[in-house]
Structures are given as C-alpha cells and as structure tokens.
Amino acid sequence: MNIRRALDRLQDVSISAVIAGFVSVLVGYSSAAVIVFQAAQALGATEAQINSWMWALGIGLGLTTMWLSLRYQAPVVTAWSTPGAAMLMTSAANVSLAEGIGAFLIAAGLITLCGLTGWFERAMSRVPLSIAAALLAGVLLRFGLNIFIAMETQFWMVFAMLCAYLVAYRRWSRYAVLIALVVGIAIAAWQGQLQLHTLRLQMATPVLMRPQFSLSAIVGVALPLFAVTMASQNVPGVAVLRASGYDRVPISPLISWTGIATLLLAPFGAFAMNLAAITAAICMGPEAHRDPDKRYVAAVTAGMFGCFTC
C-alpha cells in the first residue's frame, strides 16, 4: 500500500512544480538571507556561528516544508521570520549571543503553545476571507513594487527581466519566472557582474550555542520576536492558504511544528520559523500545477532545495 502511494506521488511530479519550488527557495534566500547575516552579527556571532544559523534555518524550513506538505497533501511552505531578523538587528544591541539563544527558545515555546492550545487558529477563524485576501494582496503588492526600486540601480537588467516575464507569461506562464531568471543571469554575465571565481561551495557545520536566560533578553528580544513572527508572518501565511483554497489544512498543527522545529534548532541559531507568505504563494498558483491537489509537489521540492542549501 505504501509502495503504491509512493508511486502515485511520483506521478504527481511535474517540471513546472519543480521549477516553482526552486524559484520559491531562490526568492526566499536572495531577498532575506542578508538580513539574517546582519542579525547574527548584531548578536556578536562569529563566521562559523553565522554559518550554523543558516544551516539550522535551512534544515528547519526544509524538513518542516516537506513533512507538512506530504502530511496534508497541500503546498505548506515554511520560512524564517524576516521581520524577526530585522527586529534583532536593532533590539539585540545590548544582548549577548547566549542571551539571544535563550530568547529564541522562549519565543519558540510561546509559538508552540499557541499551536498546541489552538488559540491562534481560533483567532484566525474569526478573520473574514475578504480581509485575509486583502492582507495577502498588500504583502504581494509591496513585494512587486520592489521591482521599480531595483530599477534605480540596475535599470536595464531589471527592465529586461520584467519584459521577459511579461512576454513569457502570455505563452508559457509556468516557466515565466525561470525565463526571467535566465535573462537576468545572461545580462549580468554580459555586464561582467558575475564573480564566479569568488564562489566557494562547502557544507555548513552546525555549532552548538549554549543559551542563557535574562529578563532583559526576554522582554527586549523574546516577546517582540514572538509577536512579530505571529503577526507579520503567520497571519499572512494563513491568509495565503485560505485565499488559495486550502481551507481543509488545519492551522494549529502547522504552527505547532514550526514552534517545535525552532525549539530543537534554536541552540544552533534558528531564531524563528513560521508559515511563509510570498514564497508560499509561488507554490500555490496555477503556474506550479493546473491541479490544486498536485501543487504540494512544488512545496516538497522547495523543502528539498532548502535542505540542499546547507
């Protein structure tokens, strides 16, 4: 029976879903990885410890995305808390790395508690679908408008990628993002901006960091990190699921698993993991697969690529 189920899932795999999963991870890392580096540096992390942060986050979001997507046969994508990382850059100035790790554990415990008790799901059930859709539109609009901000420094590259995307979307909508990416790489190579000789591939090594608990870190880091992650990340993440028609997926287990994963990986630098919004939308659209029941493959692929980044 398990073999037959595995074969059925293999039949659900499509090129468009694999591309959507790859693009999802690419967007997540290219748009927010630098913020994670800066947050780790604000806490005084060394280069090896920063690499451990990225390892922990990559493994955490990769495994939770794959497990939850396969478990519920839906594109459930997790990510690190980008607003949380931005908050750490400013609020963790007087906090040591050990105290920061302790704060991560406290925040993860609170997230897990919200999932296990069902408090968050009950609160979200009272939010009308129209408001959830408007919230999602606001998140995606801000992301889309960043294209014009990027044109201020790289006009021809961004403009060419935008035109390539619009033209390709008319005829090959599932591959429009990939085509735009190829055009961008080609222009960067032509302009001499690809510094491949500086690229060095190596496996990240996890570094265990002992936690230390202090009242100042709990008040100044743990509680704000918990609030920002739930409000700015998990709420839009649920909105994406609901607006995409995946109402059947229970919210509480998703929140619980992201909290548990953070608890386990916080000593290695995973400060907060949550439901994704923008990267999840990439895996939930018709470009990933025509059949909504088979779009979970895009999320599973994203999880695999997330693990490979480590």
Side-chain angles (χ1 to χ4, degrees):
M1 189 67 178
N2 292 333
I3 296 178
R4 183 177 179 181
R5 183 180 301 176
L7 292 175
D8 290 340
R9 289 179 176 176
L10 284 176
Q11 293 177 355
D12 293 341
V13 178
S14 64
I15 296 177
S16 59
V18 173
I19 292 175
F22 170 74
V23 171
S24 174
V25 174
L26 181 65
V27 169
Y29 273 79
S30 61
S31 62
V34 64
I35 301 178
V36 177
F37 276 79
Q38 293 172 346
Q41 291 171 347
L43 285 169
T46 63
E47 181 178 351
Q49 290 169 335
I50 293 175
N51 291 335
S52 180
W53 277 46
M54 299 306 300
W55 173 87
L57 292 169
I59 287 293
L61 68 88
L63 293 180
T64 53
T65 295
M66 286 191 292
W67 159 246
L68 294 173
S69 297
L70 290 171
R71 170 68 177 83
Y72 297 106
Q73 292 288 284
V76 180
V77 181
T78 62
W80 62 65
S81 175
T82 301
M87 183 273 298
L88 289 174
M89 292 167 52
T90 57
S91 65
N94 298 319
V95 176
S96 67
L97 180 60
E99 291 176 322
I101 298 298
F104 301 165
L105 289 170
I106 296 295
L110 293 174
I111 293 172
T112 305
L113 181 64
C114 283
L116 294 177
T117 58
W119 292 340
F120 182 74
E121 184 169 9
R122 287 195 293 271
M124 287 301 301
S125 65
R126 299 185 179 184
V127 178
L129 181 59
S130 58
I131 294 180
L135 177 62
L136 173 60
V139 173
L140 297 180
L141 176 63
R142 183 179 60 181
F143 183 77
L145 291 177
N146 286 336
I147 294 175
F148 302 99
I149 297 176
M151 284 186 181
E152 295 179 0
T153 56
Q154 296 288 344
F155 176 80
W156 291 113
M157 179 189 296
V158 179
F159 181 71
M161 292 176 68
L162 177 60
C163 292
Y165 174 82
L166 294 176
V167 172
Y169 191 81
R170 296 280 296 178
R171 301 193 61 179
W172 310 288
S173 60
R174 296 183 185 179
Y175 311 107
V177 175
L178 181 63
I179 292 173
L181 174 63
V182 172
V183 170
I185 293 175
I187 294 177
W190 178 63
Q191 294 178 342
Q193 297 185 26
L194 289 181
Q195 305 295 327
L196 297 180
H197 64 277
T198 62
L199 183 63
R200 184 180 61 180
L201 299 178
Q202 65 180 35
M203 295 290 292
T205 303
V207 177
L208 181 63
M209 291 163 267
R210 295 182 180 277
Q212 182 178 338
F213 301 94
S214 67
L215 182 60
S216 60
I218 293 174
V219 175
V221 177
L223 295 181
L225 180 61
F226 162 71
V228 166
T229 300
M230 297 301 293
S232 300
Q233 294 291 104
N234 281 328
V235 171
V238 174
V240 171
L241 278 169
R242 294 178 62 184
S244 301
Y246 295 100
D247 296 347
R248 57 182 173 81
V249 180
I251 302 303
S252 292
L254 307 185
I255 302 300
S256 299
W257 277 112
T258 57
I260 292 171
T262 305
L263 273 172
L264 295 175
L265 294 170
F268 300 97
F271 55 93
M273 282 179 280
N274 45 252
L275 297 179
I278 295 174
T279 53
I282 296 174
C283 296
M284 294 180 188
E287 295 80 9
H289 203 286
R290 293 180 181 176
D291 187 352
D293 292 334
K294 295 183 179 181
R295 292 173 190 167
Y296 75 94
V297 175
V300 174
T301 304
M304 294 175 62
F305 280 118
C307 291
F308 290 156
T309 57
C310 303

